[in-house]
Amino acid sequence: QVKLVESGGGLVQAGGSLRLSCAVSGRTFSPYFMGWFRQASGKEREFVASISWRGGNPYYADSVKGRFTISRDNAQNTMYLQMNSLKPEDTAVYYCNAKTFGDGELWGQGTQVTVSS
C-alpha cells in the first residue's frame, strides 16, 4: 500500500516562507503527475501547483505564480512546495496529490498552513 504524508505546515507571518514536503511511503510506484491542492475553511478545494514526474515541468495557479515553487526528487519519492511571500489568503489545509499508472489517484492527510497579518 502506498501512502502520501505531508509535513512542514505551521504558523508564519505575512511575507514569510514555509517549505512543504510530501513523502511517499510503501512500495515503489509510478506517478506521472504530483501536485498540491489547498482548502480554506468554508471554501472548495483548489489547485495550487503540479509537476510532471519524469520531466519536472511545473504548473501553477495564477494566485501563487511567482511566489511558490514546486519541485520533486524522483530518487527519494518526495515532492516539495517552497512558499515565499506568504499572504493571509494562503491560509488553508494543503494536500498532496499523486496521479499514478498503477495505483490510481492518491491523497495525503493534509497539513495546516496559517499566515498571520
Side-chain angles (χ1 to χ4, degrees):
Q1 185 174 2
V2 178
K3 295 182 179 180
L4 306 179
V5 181
E6 302 97 332
S7 62
L11 175 65
V12 66
Q13 291 184 328
S17 298
L18 285 173
R19 191 190 194 198
L20 305 183
S21 298
C22 176
V24 179
S25 64
R27 64 178 176 86
T28 302
F29 76 126
S30 300
Y32 54 93
F33 274 100
M34 290 190 71
W36 294 93
F37 292 73
R38 67 186 183 187
Q39 187 168 21
S41 180
K43 298 183 179 180
E44 294 186 347
R45 188 172 298 186
E46 65 174 347
F47 169 78
V48 177
S50 66
I51 189 166
S52 59
W53 202 247
R54 185 173 181 85
N57 300 308
Y59 305 87
Y60 299 98
D62 289 341
S63 59
V64 307
K65 191 172 296 183
R67 300 187 297 120
F68 291 9
T69 303
I70 190 170
S71 61
R72 88 279 187 263
D73 186 334
N74 300 53
Q76 297 295 322
N77 286 333
T78 304
M79 179 181 63
Y80 306 95
L81 185 68
Q82 179 66 46
M83 305 184 294
N84 298 327
S85 301
L86 283 162
K87 304 175 181 179
E89 50 263 44
D90 295 318
T91 296
V93 177
Y94 284 70
Y95 295 92
C96 177
N97 171 263
K99 293 179 172 60
T100 75
F101 289 108
D103 297 288
E105 186 171 18
L106 306 173
W107 291 92
Q109 83 288 349
T111 185
Q112 176 71 48
V113 172
T114 302
V115 184
S116 64
S117 59

